[in-house]
Amino acid sequence: MDGRSGPGRGWLLRLVIAFSFAQGAVSMARPAVSYRALSLGADERAIGVITGVYALLPLFAAVPLGRRTDHGRCAPLLPVGVVLIAGGCALSGTAGSLPAMAAWSGVMGLGHLCFVIGAQSIVARQSAPAEQDRNFGHFTIGASLGQLIGPVAAGHLISAGDGAMARTSAVALVVSAAVAALSFASLWRVEHRAPLRPREDRAAKVPVGRILRTRGVPAGIFISLAVLSATDILTAYLPVVGEQRSIAPATIGLLLSLRAAATIACRLVMTPMLRLLGRTTLLTTTCLLAGLLCAGIALPVPVWALAVMLAVLGFCLGAGQPLSMTTVVQAAPERARSTALALRLTGNRLGQVAAPASAGLVAGFAGTAAPFVMLGALLLGAAGLGVRGGRARPTEKEAAGPVRRTASTPTNRNPT
């Protein structure tokens, strides 16, 4: 596909809307799952296991799903993902035991993985190389909207008073299933029909080891892992920091919402920033600033300064995910781009398991501010990889010059 349909022209807008509902459902369901498990008698360890199943179970399916998408259509994965998300949410709300909660949490995670692999592969296929940064930036706005609205909606529905948490958390999970189902309203004509490749091309598989050894792919995976880990740990540990500094929970909620809103703002202005700085400089600068700001959260600053830091941090974190998608797509062999995106998502899921565990270990030894210093170091490493990735040689397609691009197509000043 040549990417002639830009953002706001149909397929990408519908994809963003569908992703907003799907991500909103997951973001709403995950805290509701924890509250539901607590009402069933779960302790901190059980909550950790249920959370881990959400991230670990899909790891076994990521590469096979990427392989299937590389050699076929992407769109069928989207309704499958929505059905699994909605089913996992609804059945978590009716589950009567902790093992059942863990199982349905895994189903929800698998559905989210299906949807994201299919959607990212569609963006990669239907965007010209010079449009991928912009289109991935607009695509990830859907995730940011879901992450902004979902937890707030869950908080309004769930009540811990008078033993009502079991009922209200179940209601929140059923509502999240309905939110996921709304994705179906915009899942039409999101994928253009493409001519089938010859049978021998479809049968050929690029080994995973070769994909991971391709220059630019490991850097993209690590940058994505670092940015996602920063977002997850920030969400988990900022309330703890607020408790220690006597910052009200409502204020902490507003600070987290400010971070999410700044991330959306970053993705809305991705195109002019790329024209001004280029991908390598933008990726390196945002990771560097994010690393310094994460470490700065460990300092005992006043609330207003913390708000400023989180707003700038959220803006910087908004660039990492879409730019890492483009880095991986353009570095990977053409016949294995969906598999490469699946490997990137695998790295994300591993980070969602390993980063909180490492943060908890560090916090136990050095206090709750220490995980933010750890995140700072992780993001500084990502900045270094961003510089190195920018020096990688261009892919064969890019070296051949501007192919199938119209006069209105913007150029990318720093292709990876």
Side-chain angles (χ1 to χ4, degrees):
M1 286 298 168
D2 60 5
R4 286 171 294 185
S5 297
R9 295 182 183 177
W11 66 271
L12 185 57
L13 177 60
R14 289 192 291 274
L15 202 58
V16 170
I17 293 171
F19 193 24
S20 299
F21 285 120
Q23 183 64 55
V26 170
S27 298
M28 183 177 178
R30 293 195 70 187
V33 164
S34 296
Y35 284 116
R36 174 74 176 168
L38 288 171
S39 71
L40 295 175
D43 56 13
E44 291 83 354
R45 183 177 301 178
I47 295 293
V49 170
I50 293 171
T51 303
V53 170
Y54 171 89
L56 282 175
L57 186 60
L59 291 179
F60 301 100
V63 172
L65 286 171
R67 294 284 195 203
R68 179 224 167 271
T69 307
D70 274 322
H71 304 292
R73 295 184 61 215
C74 310
L77 280 179
L78 304 184
V80 171
V82 172
V83 168
L84 291 174
I85 291 171
C89 292
L91 292 169
S92 293
T94 58
S97 67
L98 296 180
M101 290 289 299
W104 297 126
S105 179
V107 169
M108 188 197 315
L110 181 60
H112 187 260
L113 181 77
C114 288
F115 190 99
V116 173
I117 288 178
Q120 288 183 3
S121 299
I122 289 173
V123 176
R125 283 188 188 179
Q126 299 186 175
S127 304
E131 295 176 332
Q132 286 173 347
D133 286 318
R134 180 191 64 186
N135 288 359
F136 275 125
H138 284 91
F139 168 72
T140 51
I141 289 174
S144 298
L145 287 171
Q147 291 166 355
L148 177 65
I149 298 171
V152 175
H156 280 294
L157 287 172
I158 299 170
S159 171
D162 299 325
M165 190 164 63
R167 177 181 56 81
T168 56
S169 60
V171 170
L173 286 164
V174 173
V175 171
S176 65
V179 171
L182 293 175
S183 299
F184 284 117
S186 58
L187 286 182
W188 49 278
R189 295 179 62 188
V190 294
E191 183 177 27
H192 300 157
R193 291 284 183 177
L196 288 177
R197 292 174 177 169
R199 184 179 298 274
E200 57 271 18
D201 287 351
R202 286 183 281 140
K205 293 182 179 180
V206 181
V208 170
R210 178 184 163 192
I211 298 172
L212 291 174
R213 288 193 300 270
T214 303
R215 187 167 186 179
V217 172
I221 292 174
F222 183 83
I223 291 167
S224 178
L225 183 154
V227 171
L228 184 64
S229 297
T231 303
D232 280 0
I233 293 177
L234 186 68
T235 302
Y237 278 86
L238 193 63
V240 181
V241 171
E243 184 69 18
Q244 291 185 346
R245 300 181 188 177
S246 300
I247 302 173
T251 303
I252 292 295
L254 289 174
L255 291 174
L256 289 172
S257 296
L258 178 64
R259 194 281 309 163
T263 296
I264 296 173
C266 172
R267 290 166 180 173
L268 287 172
V269 297
M270 185 76 70
T271 299
M273 288 195 299
L274 285 166
R275 288 174 180 166
L276 179 65
L277 300 174
R279 185 194 310 147
T280 301
T281 302
L282 180 60
L283 187 57
T284 303
T285 302
T286 53
C287 285
L288 178 63
L289 286 175
L292 295 174
L293 288 165
C294 273
I297 292 175
L299 301 175
V301 296
V303 173
W304 67 265
L306 188 60
V308 173
M309 291 169 65
L310 285 170
V312 180
L313 176 59
F315 191 89
C316 292
L317 292 176
Q321 292 285 32
L323 295 184
S324 70
M325 292 178 196
T326 308
T327 298
V328 169
V329 165
Q330 295 192 356
E334 186 175 359
R335 290 182 290 111
R337 287 177 173 173
S338 293
T339 304
L341 287 169
L343 289 170
R344 175 186 167 277
L345 290 171
T346 300
N348 285 353
R349 292 300 172 91
L350 287 173
Q352 286 182 301
V353 175
S358 301
L361 185 64
V362 170
F365 281 104
T368 54
F372 296 103
V373 178
M374 181 192 77
L375 283 179
L378 193 66
L379 288 164
L380 290 177
L385 286 176
V387 172
R388 184 180 178 187
R391 295 171 182 166
R393 64 178 178 83
T395 63
E396 293 178 4
K397 184 175 289 187
E398 290 169 321
V403 180
R404 293 184 299 169
R405 296 179 186 172
T406 64
S408 62
T409 301
T411 57
N412 190 338
R413 294 173 58 185
N414 282 313
T416 299

